[in-house]
Structure formats: structure tokens, C-alpha cells
Amino acid sequence: MSAETPAAAGQFTRRRLQFRAWRGARPFWAGLFVALGGLPIAYFPYANLQIGHLTLAMSTTAGAGSLIIGVLLVVLGVSLWFQKHVRVFAGVAAILLALVSIPVSNLGGFLIGFLFALVGGAMAVSWVPGEPPRAEPPLEGKGTDGAPEGAVPAASADDTAFPGFPAPGTQAGPAVPGPRGGMDDGEPSQGFTAPGAHDLSGTSPANGANGRHSAG
């Protein structure tokens, strides 16, 4: 194997990819079918079929019309390759010429050219250019740690804890009952104060004495 073989293979691959990109940007197959349809339409009226010693001429009185139709179909097929903006006009014209070739050119080149031109014209009319790939915009509101948008992240212990309740996953200590009835070990609790105990403005409802004597 020569040293030039990898380089030649790489060049062939590059050319093939370039041709694929060129073909995908235009109605290639439509133009090919239309051009192929024009060849039998233009050829058969001027061809002679040799059967043994018998020569059969297939020319008709409309031989010039068949040649014109065939040449026009080839021109339309080539124009579909290099002038893709005329695809609708070229497709409709190819369909009309294919229909005209039935009575003019030996049933449209024995139906071979008629079918090729008809299918190619329909493909040209229906072809639309593809849209270029769009750059994806950055996702807004993307979840934390690469999570997709809309995914609910796992809540931490601080988010679910409530005041006065133990955090999830922790063991609660024994409950200590608070003082009852305002008494704490026989002594009045500071959290409970008798009504009017610090009222110095008037008579205390507890002992009926004046507030000034209670203060003294």
C-alpha cells in the first residue's frame, strides 16, 4: 500500500461531503428526474429500430416538437440545480411539457420520459429549503447542580424546620412540662402575676388596700 492512499481517501471523503452539502441545498433529485425525462422524449422520434433486416423509423410529423420539448426539459432540470429560486415555475413547466409530450412525442417517449418529467416536476414544486440550525439560547431558571428547569431540588434541613419543632432527621429530647397554675416549686412563677399587683393608682382587688400602702 502506498503512502498516498490515506491522503487520497481523505480527499475523496472531503469531496463527497462537499457534494452532499451542495446537493442538500437545492432540489437535486427533481432536476435530475426532469433532465432524464427530456432525453427519451427528444431521442425516440429520431431513432431507428433495427429488427433483423427491417428498419423501423419511429419519427413522427411532430419530430421538431419532440426535440423542443426534450431540450426544454433538460434546460429546466439544469436550472433547478443552479437557480433553485425558480423551482415552482420549473416544476409546473415540466409537468405541462410532460403532458404535452403524450400526443406529440410517441406517448411521451413511450411513457418513460413522461413519468420522469412528471415525478421530477412534482418534486420541484414540493421542495422547500431547509432552515439553518439555530443556536440554543441559554436556559433561564436552570436548577441547581445542573438540574433541568422545573426540577424541585431537595430541601435542606433548615428549609423544613419550624420554630419549636425538631429538625427532620434529629431525635427530639424528652418533653419537660412547664409550671402549672403559676407555681414553680411552691413559689409564684414570674411568668404569672396577679392582676393589679403593681397597680399603685387605686385599691388592689386582692386585699382591698390602697395602692400606696402596697407600694410602701
Side-chain angles (χ1 to χ4, degrees):
M1 181 179 295
S2 63
E4 298 180 357
T5 302
Q11 185 177 5
F12 173 76
T13 303
R14 185 172 65 254
R15 296 295 183 184
R16 182 174 58 85
L17 294 177
Q18 291 177 354
F19 174 73
R20 178 184 295 179
W22 178 84
R23 183 188 64 189
R26 65 203 69 247
F28 175 79
W29 295 109
L32 180 63
F33 282 7
V34 171
L36 290 179
L39 296 179
I41 292 176
Y43 172 76
F44 284 134
Y46 294 94
N48 295 327
L49 182 60
Q50 193 75 22
I51 303 177
H53 298 285
L54 179 63
T55 301
L56 179 62
M58 294 181 291
S59 61
T60 60
T61 57
S66 300
L67 181 62
I68 293 174
I69 292 174
V71 172
L72 287 177
L73 287 175
V74 173
V75 171
L76 290 174
V78 175
S79 66
L80 285 172
W81 290 347
F82 300 99
Q83 301 292 333
K84 58 183 179 180
H85 59 276
V86 299
R87 61 186 182 275
V88 177
F89 168 77
V92 173
I95 293 174
L96 294 178
L97 290 175
L99 295 174
V100 172
S101 68
I102 292 179
V104 173
S105 177
N106 295 330
L107 296 176
F110 298 109
L111 297 179
I112 299 175
F114 165 75
L115 292 178
F116 271 109
L118 189 66
V119 173
M123 292 174 63
V125 173
S126 61
W127 185 87
V128 291
E131 296 182 358
R134 299 179 180 178
E136 296 183 358
L139 297 177
E140 296 182 358
K142 188 176 180 181
T144 58
D145 300 332
E149 184 179 359
V152 180
S156 60
D158 297 338
D159 296 338
T160 57
F162 294 93
F165 293 91
T170 61
Q171 184 176 3
V176 179
R180 303 177 61 184
M183 300 297 292
D184 188 5
D185 296 332
E187 299 294 334
S189 175
Q190 296 181 0
F192 301 92
T193 304
H198 299 285
D199 187 8
L200 304 180
S201 61
T203 302
S204 174
N207 51 14
N210 190 282
R212 290 185 179 88
H213 298 285
S214 298

